[in-house]
Amino acid sequence: MKVRLLRGEEAERAAELDKACEGAAHWSVDDYRRLAGALPDEPRFCLLAEDDAGEPAGLLVASVADGEAELLNLAVAAGKRRRGMATALLGEALRRLAAGGAATVWLEVRESNRPALAFYRRHGFQLRDRRRDYYPAPPPAACRQDAGATGAPREDALVLARAVREPGGSL
């Protein structure tokens, strides 16, 4: 597995990858093109993880400003999960965020996204806040056609944070 910065020609693949991951934020091809074209000192970056065959299989988007960082998106292809890819992406992101001067990293996650919550907790993130009704929640499959008329239910976002460097200096 290899983790590196996203390249411009991979923007379309990155957008496909995030759209295939239900819990990920869905960004446009143009969003990923902008991230891939970012200069090294710009506050946002996108990391791409390749599987052993060299195929893009995961991504992470983060930003840093004024000593604070935010994880904006993390997606790993369904068939590539539970192989350490998200951990490798997070580790590289933390190294870059530390180099960018960040002391704390924040993120928001759907309350119902149990796998993501377990992952983040394993990596030292703690609950700091709750944003009520932050995300639109998809209605049950039987109601999807009616969602526009009745309005979809909303879901809370849990705000998690951790120090970029753990006590003792480890990432």
Side-chain angles (χ1 to χ4, degrees):
M1 169 182 2
K2 179 180 176 183
V3 175
R4 59 175 174 73
L5 287 171
L6 179 74
R7 295 187 293 254
E9 66 271 12
E10 298 166 322
E12 204 168 304
R13 178 66 179 115
E16 290 170 3
L17 181 62
D18 86 25
K19 282 181 184 38
C21 296
E22 190 176 315
H26 300 310
W27 294 26
S28 72
V29 172
D30 286 340
D31 291 333
Y32 284 110
R33 272 195 196 104
R34 280 190 288 282
L35 285 167
L39 298 172
D41 60 343
E42 287 190 37
R44 278 190 181 183
F45 59 86
C46 180
L47 297 173
L48 186 74
E50 296 176 342
D51 63 16
D52 293 334
E55 291 295 317
L59 63 84
L60 183 146
V61 179
S63 70
V64 62
D66 298 327
E68 301 246 326
E70 186 175 7
L71 294 186
L72 301 166
N73 206 358
L74 176 59
V76 175
K80 306 292 180 173
R81 293 181 187 150
R82 306 203 58 79
R83 299 180 189 178
M85 200 161 293
T87 297
L89 284 161
L90 180 60
E92 179 60 21
L94 291 171
R95 282 186 282 285
R96 288 175 181 273
L97 295 169
T104 304
V105 59
W106 298 83
L107 63 90
E108 293 157 352
V109 63
R110 286 178 180 271
E111 183 175 31
S112 65
N113 192 342
R114 300 288 179 225
L117 286 167
F119 170 80
Y120 291 125
R121 286 188 178 126
R122 273 193 314 275
H123 292 282
F125 285 85
Q126 297 179 343
L127 179 65
R128 297 291 181 87
D129 201 0
R130 172 185 297 269
R131 293 196 171 129
R132 299 255 179 232
D133 298 330
Y134 185 77
Y135 290 111
C143 301
R144 287 182 197 228
Q145 292 177 352
D146 301 336
T150 61
R154 309 280 304 169
E155 183 175 359
D156 291 356
L158 300 181
V159 179
L160 309 179
R162 67 161 268 184
V164 170
R165 292 187 183 275
E166 293 290 344
S170 66
L171 298 171

